[in-house]
Structure formats: C-alpha cells, structure tokens
Amino acid sequence: MTNQTKEIARRRTFGIVAHPDAGKTTLTEKLLLFGGAIQVAGAVKSNKIKKSTTSDFMEIERQRGISVATSVMAFDYAEKKINILDTPGHKDFAEDTYRTLTAVDSVIVVIDVAKGVEEQTEKLVEVCRMRKTPVIVFINKMDRPGKEAFDLLDEVEQKLKLPCTPLSWPIGMGERFKGVYNIFEQRLVLFRPDNKQGRPEETIEFDDLADPELDQLVGEDAAEELRSEVEMINEVYPTFKREEYLDQTISPVFFGSAVNNFGVKELLDCFVQIAPEPRPRNAEERDVLPNEDKFSGFVFKIHANMDPRHRDRIAFLRICSGTFERNTNYLHVRQGRKMKFANPTSFMAARKEVVDEAFAGDVVGLYDSGNFKIGDTLTEGEELHFKGIPSFSPEQFRRVYNGDPLKSKQLAKGIDQLMDEGVAQLFTRDVDNAQIIGCVGALQFDVIQYRLEHEYGATVKYEPINLHKALWVTANSNEELQAFKERRRQHIGHDKEGRLVYLADSAWTLQMARDNHPDIRFHETSEL
Ligand code: G4P
C-alpha cells in the first residue's frame, strides 16, 4: 500500500450541524479534548453570533477572527486523522454552511433534547439528504428534562426524513439521568455530572440486561424501564448496518450530554469505526476518486484576512484526489494558469501550521490576493469543474448606490471581492442597470457595509427594492428564451457571472411567469 493510499484511508472529514444553542461548540470542544488537540475545556471559543449582538460590528469582527481559527479543526484519534469543518449555526450565514457541506464526507447532527428537531436543522439536513451525505444524530443535554427518547426518534424520522436506529439508549433524563446503554457495544455507561475535563467514563461491559446487577447499578425501576425499552427497540428499529448508514438509508442515533462530556466518547469511538473515508466527488467531466495519482481540489470557502493592511484572504481548499504539495505548480482551471503556494496552511484547533503535503480528504488554507472564487478548481493540469457548490436564490434584496463619488473604484473592487467570497450575490437589472445585492440573511447587509468601509474605504448606500426572489432561468431553445426575455423585460437581469436571472417582485408575478411560460425553467440554485 502506498503512503498516499494509507493516508487517505485514515481521513475522516465531517461537519457538525445544529440549530444555534443545541451544543455544537461544546461537542466540538469535547471531541478536540479526546483528540488531544486542546488540553482544557474552554479553549475553543464559541463562534456564534448571539442574537443580542447582531448589530454590534466589533462582535462580528471578533467572531470572524475566531471563525478563521475554527474553520477546520484537525486531530488524530484511534489512528484516524479527523477533520472537523466548522459550520456557522446562525441562519444568516446558512449559505456558508451549505457550501461547507459540499466539502465534508459525513455529518453529525446535534439536537437539543428539550427542543427536538428545530427549523435550521431541518434545512441543513435537507442539503445532506440531497447530497446523500451519511448522518449520525447526537441527542444532547440529557442532563436536562426533555422530550421522550422514542418521540425524538419519531421527530428525526418525520421532520428530518431520516430513517434511524438508536445505538445508545438513555436511562432516565434530567435529574433522573443515570447514563446510557451502549447498544452498539453492549456496555453500560454511568453518568457522573461533574466530568467536564473528560476523565474516562465509568463503563461496564453488559451484554445481558436480564442480569440482576443492573438493578443494583441503576435502581430497580430504571432497570425495568431500560429492559422493556431495549426490547421494544429490538422489535421496532432495524439492526444497524454500516452499508446502510453509508448510503444514507439509516442514521444511527446517540444520546448524551456534551457539556458533561457524557456519551461523547461513545459517539467518537463509533464514528471512527463507521464514518466514511474520503468519498468520490463529481466533476462535470467525470467522477474523481480520492486515491487517484493526480491531485485535484476545490475552494469551498474564502475568508478575508483580519488585518486590514493586508488585503489577502484565505481560500479553503478541499482536496478531492491525490496529494497536494507545497511549492508545486498547479493549474487554476478557471484562470487557465499555473500557481504555486509557498505557505499552505493546515489547522490544528487554534494552531496554524504550514504543511508540506496534504491528502484527499484534507482541507488546506491558501493565502490568496484575490485570485480565487468559491467553486474554483485546482488540478495538476486536467480541466475539471467540481459540481455541487451552488449559489442559492437569495431572499433579501437591496439596491446599492455609491455613497462617495471619489471612491467608486474602491467600491467596485470591494463589492467584487466580497461577492467572490460568497458573502452575497450581485445582480444587475437589464432595464435600468440597477445594481442589486441579494443575501440569504439580512445581517449580511450590515457586514458588507461595514467591511466595505473598513477594508476598502468605500461607502455603500442601500435602498429598499421590491423583490421577492432572483431565480436562474434556462430553456430548451434560444427562441423560447428570447421570447421570455422580451415579454418580461422589466424583470430580467444577470448575475455576476453573466447568467440570466428572473427578478420576481412577488410570489404572484413569479407564478404568472411560470404559468405563461411553461417551457422556461426557474432554478432556486445557480447549479442548473
Ligand atoms: P451551539 O454551538 O450549538 O450554539 O451551542 P453551545 O455549544 O454554545 O451550547 C449552548 C448552550 O448549551 C451553552 O450554554 C452550553 O453550555 C449548553 N450546553 C451544551 N451541552 C449541554 C448539555 O449537555 N447539558 C446542558 N445542560 N447544557 C449544555 P450557555 O449558557 O449558552 O453558554 P455557557 O455560558 O455555558 O458557555
């Protein structure tokens, strides 16, 4: 086996998806503790933007700093190299999260036991389902009173549309939480509420729940309840099979309490056994396998430098195949030219390191002075275009004006670069050349205004514009498209790449357009 084959086979690259406050940051931190990537709890700062601080730009800046450091967190555990890709939980940054999901091979979904499946999680899991990404579910905060375990499994199946099977099972909850029975490995794990620093849990091998010792360990009532519930699980839920998890026909479920570091090791131990190795990626030209000889990768995220004196940015590249090497010439496919990188960076929790080589499954940060856009591909020479890094139809719009005529160049450059970073999308309406910025979440407008001012010295002014949606349009024939453009002239525009866009001012006009032009296709994402 070559070194490359070995290295790729031990990569596990995943993202944690959760509604804000479900415990994603806490779980990430505990996983890093197990991996030895950090030594004490509290080392990973929460990178969420709390609701109360949405207009506090210093806070946004601070959070941006943290989120560079936590974009990728890598550590070794059980001979595997684990890469956790951070996904912002705040809904205004959902697009960023969608794109990050294109760079992972599997996902862990965290659900708050009291809240159950929440809206943000539903949307994100839908993206995972579309992409057939294997999902493990972790039900968190078992030390608090919450919903019944069986009801939660029903919610996962109904709201997330994920057929599931529990691999651990809680014994009580809230104040009566005694621990979990690990169905996967037939062990009893007893709960100790003050275990914040990750001491080994008290686990007891327990393959026969009929053993009266169970009554002594957890009390008679809880023991009886556990026996009957596990019996029911065996009857109702399918036996776990790894192949079914890998092709997303089943999602295993774990229960625990991240803040108490309980059930996290169970989750991690199972994860390293079952989670997929780097998976093939589809390019427009062909499928790309991880263990090919030649390197390829794509940019899924771009992060502006925190230091305003340096305009450079970090482009995050997911390696799809082969081995990436420092100081080696690679083809930037869109620009059709060779580039090499002197300081590719890997991320080990808060530590950044220059890497000499990285393998399929890894993410490297490339310093970039404005050459990259989201979705760009690097290869050893082949013209590949990876699929599945879409822009989403935005739902919030503002018309933009230049607030300072002396700074129009700076404004144009700033907007151009922020759009390449994927902060928002720029549309131009054909009839009046109106420049329109569209975002998924309204907070982005504040971020854009602030960053244009602080990083580019430009002033942008917004005006409300009556728009409901911007949808990409295609048709089978050019004539149909021309006819549509003629009839809907007022609503036609282009995105930054020059693709045709229908700017609908209401749900009603959109419906009319659909009804009157049955041959025109309206797309919610730019990936047509
Ligand atoms: P997020 O990244 O998904 O937004 O959630 P985060 O980990 O920041 O957790 C949100 C809150 O839930 C935090 O409390 C955290 O301590 C708490 N939490 C996480 N896991 C558990 C658990 O298993 N049990 C209980 N009871 N609470 C848990 P906070 O008050 O918002 O912040 P902090 O001051 O405690 O950090």
Side-chain angles (χ1 to χ4, degrees), residues 154-341:
D154 285 349
E155 270 191 38
V156 168
E157 298 212 318
Q158 277 155 26
K159 291 197 182 163
L160 298 183
K161 302 186 187 71
L162 292 176
C164 63
T165 196
L167 288 190
S168 80
W169 195 252
I171 307 169
M173 75 164 72
E175 290 190 346
R176 292 186 306 106
F177 183 55
K178 301 232 164 52
V180 293
Y181 180 62
N182 181 333
I183 301 174
F184 188 55
E185 291 179 333
Q186 303 195 312
R187 286 186 296 150
L188 197 64
V189 191
L190 297 178
F191 178 55
R192 205 168 39 193
D194 56 350
N195 190 23
K196 296 220 162 61
Q197 293 294 346
R199 279 174 285 150
E201 283 150 350
E202 198 176 334
T203 50
I204 301 158
E205 300 299 325
F206 223 94
D207 49 14
D208 181 10
L209 286 179
D211 190 332
E213 201 194 332
L214 183 65
D215 303 69
Q216 282 158 25
L217 286 168
V218 302
E220 258 174 52
D221 292 349
E224 244 348 278
E225 201 176 322
L226 177 66
R227 286 183 189 113
S228 73
E229 288 181 344
V230 170
E231 200 172 314
M232 190 138 119
I233 291 164
N234 290 336
E235 275 168 27
V236 176
Y237 290 96
T239 312
F240 175 76
K241 293 199 191 75
R242 183 173 182 233
E243 316 81 75
E244 290 180 354
Y245 153 71
L246 292 180
D247 67 18
Q248 221 206 42
T249 42
I250 200 94
S251 289
V253 180
F254 288 84
F255 293 83
S257 169
V259 79
N260 292 296
N261 208 349
F262 185 81
V264 178
K265 188 167 180 300
E266 314 297 311
L267 174 73
L268 181 59
D269 284 340
C270 178
F271 174 84
V272 291
Q273 284 185 53
I274 68 171
E277 298 176 9
R279 306 206 301 165
R281 287 282 182 288
N282 312 112
E284 275 165 31
E285 294 77 8
R286 64 184 183 87
D287 287 354
V288 176
L289 304 177
N291 199 17
E292 294 180 7
D293 290 343
K294 296 218 156 78
F295 152 79
S296 68
F298 67 88
V299 172
F300 64 94
K301 174 171 174 153
I302 294 177
H303 218 298
N305 199 322
M306 294 306 295
D307 183 348
R309 283 166 304 169
H310 301 270
R311 193 66 68 60
D312 59 348
R313 314 180 287 182
I314 300 176
F316 290 85
L317 179 93
R318 151 90 196 204
I319 302 173
C320 299
S321 66
T323 308
F324 170 91
E325 288 173 0
R326 187 157 95 103
N327 278 327
T328 304
N329 270 314
Y330 293 122
L331 176 68
H332 183 316
V333 173
R334 181 175 54 86
Q335 293 192 340
R337 66 187 179 98
K338 294 268 166 104
M339 293 176 86
K340 63 180 171 190
F341 304 90

Side-chain angles (χ1 to χ4, degrees), residues 5 37 66 68 76 85 124 149 204 210 225 254 294 316 333 390 448:
T5 313
I66 292 167
V68 172
D76 282 300
L85 306 198
L124 294 171
I204 301 158
E225 201 176 322
F254 288 84
K294 296 218 156 78
F316 290 85
V333 173
I448 292 167

